[in-house]
Amino acid sequence: MHTENIIVSKAKLADLNQLLIVAAKTFYDTFSEVNTEEDMKMYLAEHFTFEKLSSEFNNSNSEFYIATLNNRIIGYLKINFGQAQTETIQNNTIEIERIYVLKEFQGHKVGNLLLDKAFSIAQQKKIDFVWLGVWEKNVKAISFYKKNGFTESGKHLFKLGTEEQTDIIMKKKLETSNATAAKSILAAMAGE
């Protein structure tokens, strides 16, 4: 599989049914081995319904992006702006609330494509920091985010069913277009 065959685009209303299936499956596959079946069922029943997804989709401060291969959704990204962010980290930030890829497509750079989309949107909006919460026991995800320039900056609680878990808050400072322009000017001057 080549990443050039994967298309990342903004999700449309017509994508919601397929997106809901992918969302529930990726969440279950990621966390079911280390959580009780009862807690997983409770969380999925509460957070992965068509009504909940529709409400999130229709929030003007949230956006969903899908990664598709041959018209099949294989991963997705949910980002939040302003009041839609699950907590206030600091001013001028966006939150990556979800970035999930179906298990059979992990390791094929789909997560990188979705993360690049989040960075691109953040830069277009002149955002200073991108942040996210990742479960402290999700070593694979923590490693992925660290490789992509995120650093740990705090913790918060996340409730999955009846269990309270700890998420690590990770953030990445983005270079503003002014800083990038200044570096370009300095580099050009140094070359003279």
Side-chain angles (χ1 to χ4, degrees):
M1 180 179 75
H2 297 285
T3 56
E4 62 266 10
N5 296 328
I6 299 167
I7 298 167
V8 175
S9 60
K10 193 168 186 180
K12 298 184 267 322
L13 196 56
D15 298 319
L16 283 190
N17 282 323
Q18 192 180 359
L19 179 59
L20 180 60
I21 292 166
V22 170
K25 180 166 180 35
T26 54
F27 189 87
Y28 186 84
D29 287 349
T30 302
F31 301 110
S32 63
E33 287 182 17
V34 289
N35 287 285
T36 68
E37 188 66 23
E38 296 77 28
D39 281 342
M40 289 299 296
K41 284 180 181 176
M42 186 185 305
Y43 190 85
L44 288 169
E46 186 178 326
H47 294 276
F48 290 95
T49 66
F50 189 80
E51 293 74 24
K52 176 98 166 112
L53 186 63
S54 296
S55 174
E56 292 176 3
F57 185 83
N58 290 317
N59 184 330
S60 61
N61 285 317
S62 294
E63 294 179 359
F64 285 86
Y65 291 86
I66 54 175
T68 56
L69 179 65
N70 301 323
N71 296 316
R72 176 184 175 202
I73 297 174
I74 61 171
Y76 76 103
L77 162 73
K78 181 187 180 204
I79 54 177
N80 297 320
F81 308 93
Q83 298 300 315
Q85 294 179 76
T86 55
E87 64 182 75
T88 303
I89 300 298
Q90 63 188 71
N91 292 330
N92 203 25
T93 62
I94 66 167
E95 173 191 20
I96 296 175
E97 184 178 354
R98 296 185 206 128
I99 185 166
Y100 287 109
V101 176
L102 288 171
K103 200 174 236 176
E104 64 263 37
F105 297 100
Q106 291 176 7
H108 296 282
K109 305 287 184 196
V110 180
N112 290 86
L113 292 173
L114 292 166
L115 191 58
D116 287 347
K117 185 65 175 177
F119 292 154
S120 173
I121 293 163
Q123 288 174 329
Q124 288 169 11
K125 295 182 178 283
K126 297 183 179 15
I127 296 294
D128 294 327
F129 285 92
V130 175
W131 73 275
L132 52 89
V134 59
W135 188 29
E136 66 183 351
K137 294 183 182 177
N138 192 345
V139 176
K140 185 177 174 183
I142 292 168
S143 175
F144 170 75
Y145 292 122
K146 282 183 176 178
K147 277 192 235 172
N148 283 284
F150 284 84
T151 57
E152 295 181 25
S153 67
K155 295 181 179 186
H156 69 190
L157 290 179
F158 176 83
K159 191 162 183 175
L160 194 144
T162 59
E163 185 181 336
E164 284 192 352
Q165 301 178 350
T166 302
D167 276 0
I168 296 170
I169 303 293
M170 301 185 80
K171 66 180 184 177
K172 178 176 179 169
K173 180 165 178 47
L174 298 178
E175 286 193 30
T176 63
S177 55
N178 291 341
T180 305
K183 281 184 181 177
S184 297
I185 292 167
L186 290 172
M189 289 171 59
E192 291 180 347

